[in-house]
């Protein structure tokens, strides 16, 4: 989770494609330890993708899920 947060901080700061070193620097500056395996997987999964588009897609899915839960709730 901290790796994702650090990645997003980089993006919000204007770095559209943060590197492993960028993310590691933020996590360690905050006193955390980086999970190298998790970071490598995350960076591989995000390679070539637009974070804003991914977040918008996730928001749409969340709304769809919430709508299903409300519809399924007993009256």
């Amino acid at each position: 989770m901290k790796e994702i947060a650090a990645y997003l901080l980089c993006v919000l700061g204007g770095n559209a494609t943060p590197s492993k070193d960028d993310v590691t620097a933020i996590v360690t500056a905050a006193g955390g330890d980086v999970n190298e395996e998790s970071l490598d997987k995350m960076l591989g999964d995000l390679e070539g993708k637009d974070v804003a588009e991914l977040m918008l897609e996730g928001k749409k899915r969340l709304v769809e899920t919430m709508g299903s839960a409300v519809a399924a709730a007993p009256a």
Side-chain angles (χ1 to χ4, degrees):
M1 200 62 132
K2 58 191 163 205
E3 289 87 1
I4 294 170
Y7 186 92
L8 292 174
L9 283 172
C10 288
V11 172
L12 287 171
N15 182 351
T17 55
S19 68
K20 184 175 183 175
D21 289 340
D22 296 331
V23 174
T24 299
I26 290 175
V27 173
T28 56
D33 294 320
V34 174
N35 180 327
E36 297 287 334
E37 184 179 335
S38 175
L39 179 56
D40 289 339
K41 180 173 179 356
M42 181 191 74
L43 291 174
D45 290 346
L46 292 174
E47 188 173 352
K49 297 180 181 171
D50 183 298
V51 173
E53 288 179 20
L54 292 173
M55 291 177 69
L56 183 59
E57 181 61 32
K59 182 179 176 182
K60 288 178 187 176
R61 289 183 182 184
L62 183 60
V63 169
E64 290 170 2
T65 301
M66 295 302 294
S68 300
V70 171

